[in-house]
Amino acid sequence: MTTQTLPLTGYRILDLTMVTSGPVGTMMLADMGADVIKVEPLKNGELSRSMGTTYVNGENRMFLSQNRNKRSIRIDLKSQAGRETFLRLASEADVITENFRPGTVDRLGIDYEAVKAVNPRIVYASISAFGQTGPYAAQPANDPIVQALSGLMAMTGEPDRPPSRIGSPYPDFGAAALLAFAVSTALLHRERTGEGQQLDISLLNGAIFSCIPRDGETLATGAAPSRMGSGHPTFAPYRSYQGADGQYFFLACFTEKFWNALCDALDNSKLSEDDRFRTNALRCENREALDATLADIFHTQETAHWVNLFKERNVPSAPIQDLHQALTQDPQVAHNNTVIEMEHPTAGTVPMLSLPVNFHGTPARYQNAPPRLGEHTAEILSEFGFSDEECQELFARSIAAGMDDGEGNDHGI
């Protein structure tokens, strides 16, 4: 076990979040030392434990990928005794995180005001699709619904095809990063002032924020970005092209320096001497002619030839890899230690992604495998001052529970 003190060591987070945005955000905080306690329902636990179709020895891969360095406690929050138990934990916590539909924590009696009454210094962070208030607040939604409303989906895809969902749950991960940022900032504010606060994080705000600088272009022109496939509305050439072997690569000439380097590398008079291509504005105006000229050139050699040539000539380009190639074959990904492995007591060796920030002075810890459901219930209750008798009563009344052995037997205490 590491003895290193990390930036968030000593902070306790009661994590009520589920699925992706919240769990990824709290995992980032846990990687930097926070004691993240997953508060899970008695039956089946957090939703991602039973979502999708990919399992390893009964453990859900979705859950495993976003819940390392956390502990698990099972509490029946729908009961009065469960609510009282949670508030007793909250009275000694630093942060509460939740991503229920707005209004749920109020009905449960564990909302910000209820927690603030027992802990005025609490930082209470809520993630939702649209925000805690407003005309959409109560509507059911998830990542692709936000992609649809934010404008992301409308600008994604080929011009002659329907709008397309982004391949990864980008709004979810934007909200996760905003959660980690917001909680860290709020804790810093509390250190300076003694004041806790409520945080309202929405996937919609994060998704629209990620559209920078498309927002400036849209508001200035009054026209929304059109679908351009892999192309770009204000740069050319800036898109994917195909080599003679059928493989794709991306070429990004976003300055005149890179355009000139491309022309030099290709040594082609059709490009360098064509008045239609002399400036970026002209290249955008004559995009179809430019793409046709480049496509003819690129079909003469395999993709690897072009990528290697452009690397030598300082032209931004890269082969278009699938995710498996990126995770398992890319030398820069390997150098960055992007994929790590952790040992799980039932799932065995579990590969997962590392924290995407390299803290040179306080590197992230990867110490504890994702918790089994209820694995730490008794341990956590004891740490928060519950006596053995109180723990036994909570277990006997099914207010709290530890791990289930699969036969209905609870071994939490």
Side-chain angles (χ1 to χ4, degrees):
M1 179 179 294
T2 181
T3 59
Q4 178 189 41
T5 299
L6 294 172
L8 297 179
T9 297
Y11 290 105
R12 281 174 164 174
I13 299 175
L14 298 183
D15 183 16
L16 295 162
T17 65
M18 53 189 161
V19 185
T20 299
S21 60
V24 172
T26 54
M27 182 175 71
M28 294 169 69
L29 296 167
D31 286 350
M32 296 312 297
D35 179 15
V36 177
I37 298 169
K38 287 189 69 69
V39 181
E40 304 191 58
L42 292 186
K43 186 178 181 180
N44 298 326
E46 196 250 281
L47 192 58
S48 69
R49 288 187 184 272
S50 56
M51 292 182 70
T53 59
T54 307
Y55 290 80
V56 181
N57 295 332
E59 298 289 339
N60 189 290
R61 278 294 297 140
M62 180 176 179
F63 179 87
L64 293 173
S65 69
Q66 54 201 30
N67 283 290
R68 64 170 173 256
N69 287 331
K70 303 178 186 179
R71 298 190 288 167
S72 171
I73 182 173
R74 298 164 72 187
I75 301 176
D76 178 15
L77 292 175
K78 295 181 179 179
S79 68
Q80 179 62 24
R83 171 185 175 275
E84 293 171 354
T85 300
F86 177 83
L87 290 177
R88 185 166 163 183
L89 298 177
S91 68
E92 297 184 30
D94 297 287
V95 179
I96 308 291
T97 58
E98 62 91 10
N99 64 347
F100 296 116
R101 196 183 302 187
T104 300
V105 290
D106 303 82
R107 291 192 295 273
L108 292 173
I110 56 172
D111 55 287
Y112 172 63
E113 294 299 332
V115 174
K116 183 181 177 182
V118 299
N119 185 352
R121 287 168 50 85
I122 196 69
V123 171
Y124 196 109
S126 297
I127 298 178
S128 61
F130 308 119
Q132 295 300 301
T133 59
Y136 298 167
Q139 294 183 13
N142 63 350
D143 184 279
I145 301 301
V146 171
Q147 289 191 34
L149 283 170
S150 66
L152 285 176
M153 195 175 289
M155 69 175 85
T156 304
E158 296 296 329
D160 57 347
R161 300 290 296 166
S164 180
R165 178 179 65 86
I166 299 171
S168 69
Y170 197 81
D172 270 334
F173 282 88
L178 291 173
L179 174 68
F181 161 76
V183 166
S184 299
T185 302
L187 287 173
L188 178 59
H189 172 75
R190 195 185 72 177
E191 292 298 321
R192 292 173 171 174
T193 67
E195 299 173 350
Q197 62 179 297
Q198 188 174 18
L199 306 173
D200 182 355
I201 301 155
S202 78
L203 273 67
L204 181 61
N205 278 2
I208 292 177
F209 193 73
S210 76
C211 292
I212 294 172
R214 299 287 86 76
D215 66 312
E217 298 163 6
T218 298
L219 295 174
T221 64
S226 59
R227 288 190 293 284
M228 299 183 65
S230 63
H232 194 283
T234 60
F235 300 125
Y238 194 100
R239 50 159 285 186
S240 62
Y241 295 93
Q242 194 174 31
D245 55 352
Q247 300 300 309
Y248 287 90
F249 66 96
F250 199 94
L251 177 65
C253 292
F254 51 92
T255 68
E256 293 303 319
K257 168 187 173 181
F258 293 134
W259 166 253
N260 292 329
L262 173 67
C263 291
D264 290 343
L266 297 177
D267 191 23
N268 189 294
S269 59
K270 288 184 179 180
L271 290 177
S272 59
E273 298 176 8
D274 195 318
D275 288 339
R276 296 173 298 173
F277 307 148
R278 289 197 180 278
T279 67
N280 180 64
L282 288 170
R283 291 193 294 275
C284 288
E285 184 179 331
N286 298 286
R287 187 188 303 272
E288 291 186 8
L290 174 63
D291 285 339
T293 300
L294 288 173
D296 288 343
I297 296 171
F298 294 146
H299 282 154
T300 64
Q301 296 285 347
E302 295 184 349
T303 285
H305 166 83
W306 299 118
V307 171
N308 290 331
L309 173 64
F310 296 150
K311 184 183 298 184
E312 294 173 0
R313 299 299 185 91
N314 194 36
V315 180
S317 69
I320 296 179
Q321 303 181 137
D322 63 35
L323 183 58
H324 187 263
Q325 290 173 315
L327 293 177
T328 64
Q329 300 173 27
D330 189 277
Q332 186 64 49
V333 172
H335 173 81
N336 291 346
N337 295 316
T338 301
V339 181
I340 60 170
E341 293 183 342
M342 299 192 75
E343 292 299 321
H344 189 277
T346 54
T349 301
V350 179
M352 58 183 67
L353 300 184
S354 61
L355 187 71
V357 179
N358 187 357
F359 290 80
H360 287 269
T362 55
R365 63 157 190 178
Y366 308 112
Q367 181 173 311
N368 299 315
R372 291 167 290 176
L373 178 58
E375 180 177 352
H376 307 97
T377 299
E379 172 184 296
I380 292 167
L381 290 173
S382 177
E383 289 178 6
F384 278 82
F386 286 78
S387 66
D388 289 344
E389 292 75 17
E390 288 175 311
C391 290
Q392 290 170 3
E393 181 180 359
L394 290 173
F395 277 74
R397 296 171 57 195
S398 295
I399 303 302
M403 286 195 299
D404 193 315
D405 63 7
E407 299 178 357
N409 300 313
D410 178 21
H411 298 295
I413 57 175

